[in-house]
Amino acid sequence: VAAFGAYRRPIVDHLRLVRLGHWDGEVRGLAASSLGGLVALEPAYFRDVVLPDLLARYTSDDVGERHGVLLGLAEVLRGLASLDVPVPPGPPSASALREVVPALEAQRLYRGRGGEAVRAAACRFVECASRSHAILPLPVASQVRLLDALDGMLVHPNDTVRGAAVPALGALLAHHFPSAGTGGPSARLRARVVDRYLDVLATTDNPAAAR
């Protein structure tokens, strides 16, 4: 239906303004996926209107809306990257996108009921942002900050959070911490990731951390 111009923006607006804040988490997830699939129909609208709107709402006091908007951000960014549509280099887009996870941590927005869903959505955002490196380059400080964030998600007691952190870590390492030539990971990367995780396996008494 959204392929018809007269219906497209009303549908997109309904998804971003209403369905991303729905009480049911599955509906929020479907709305985010739908938004990502619609980017190709009018990428400029998503870049200029939808993306700034979502960036203004992902810290909502409503934990359901926070979860849905984070997922929406992830999927819209993924859709824009698939079309090589660059995001504006300054505020409120590129610079704000790099600060999404640090802002969630600084404002302690993982707390409370529903916090695990927000954590999982943040992991999905990191995954999509990492795969969108062509339109959203991350400085080294941002790369390391996201890696630190994922380290915490990997040992979280909630299965859903850990499950979301694994593909996010894979995407982050593949696109921002490439192996040195064909000889495998650099010594620095091996120490930061492989050796650290092996040490956790060898020393932890926490089954969730070991998994």
Side-chain angles (χ1 to χ4, degrees), residues 122-210:
C123 290
R124 177 60 177 166
F125 174 80
V126 172
E127 180 184 356
C128 291
S130 299
R131 297 186 188 281
S132 304
H133 62 100
I135 68 168
L136 185 69
L138 297 176
V140 172
S142 295
Q143 297 170 20
V144 174
R145 182 73 179 268
L146 293 179
L147 184 57
D148 289 341
L150 291 178
D151 280 349
M153 303 295 192
L154 287 169
V155 298
H156 194 274
N158 183 277
D159 289 342
T160 300
V161 174
R162 294 197 306 274
V166 171
L169 178 66
L172 181 65
L173 293 178
H175 294 290
H176 294 291
F177 296 84
S179 299
T182 58
S186 66
R188 183 179 180 184
L189 177 60
R190 187 168 59 249
R192 174 62 181 77
V193 179
V194 180
D195 294 349
R196 174 180 289 194
Y197 295 164
L198 287 174
D199 182 64
V200 171
L201 284 172
T203 60
T204 186
D205 293 325
N206 184 341

Side-chain angles (χ1 to χ4, degrees), residues 9-30:
R9 290 189 181 183
I11 289 174
V12 170
D13 291 344
H14 179 75
L15 288 171
R16 70 180 174 93
L17 296 173
V18 179
R19 293 302 173 183
L20 288 181
H22 195 273
W23 61 267
D24 189 320
E26 290 190 15
V27 173
R28 298 195 295 269
L30 288 171

Side-chain angles (χ1 to χ4, degrees), residues 39-168:
V39 171
L41 295 179
E42 196 170 349
Y45 186 69
F46 279 86
R47 179 195 61 204
D48 299 336
V49 177
V50 177
L51 193 61
D53 170 65
L54 298 181
L55 282 169
R57 294 166 50 212
Y58 74 90
T59 57
S60 169
D61 291 337
D62 184 303
V63 69
E65 182 178 26
R66 194 184 314 153
H67 168 254
V69 170
L70 274 171
L71 290 177
L73 269 175
E75 301 304 329
V76 168
L77 183 58
R78 178 184 60 84
L80 291 172
S82 71
L83 301 170
D84 292 322
V85 177
V87 296
S93 294
S95 57
L97 285 165
R98 296 186 185 101
E99 291 299 316
V100 165
V101 172
L104 291 170
E105 294 175 339
Q107 298 181 44
R108 306 180 70 180
L109 294 178
Y110 298 138
R111 296 181 303 168
R113 184 176 183 181
E116 291 86 359
V118 176
R119 286 180 181 271
C123 290
R124 177 60 177 166
F125 174 80
V126 172
E127 180 184 356
C128 291
S130 299
R131 297 186 188 281
S132 304
H133 62 100
I135 68 168
L136 185 69
L138 297 176
V140 172
S142 295
Q143 297 170 20
V144 174
R145 182 73 179 268
L146 293 179
L147 184 57
D148 289 341
L150 291 178
D151 280 349
M153 303 295 192
L154 287 169
V155 298
H156 194 274
N158 183 277
D159 289 342
T160 300
V161 174
R162 294 197 306 274
V166 171

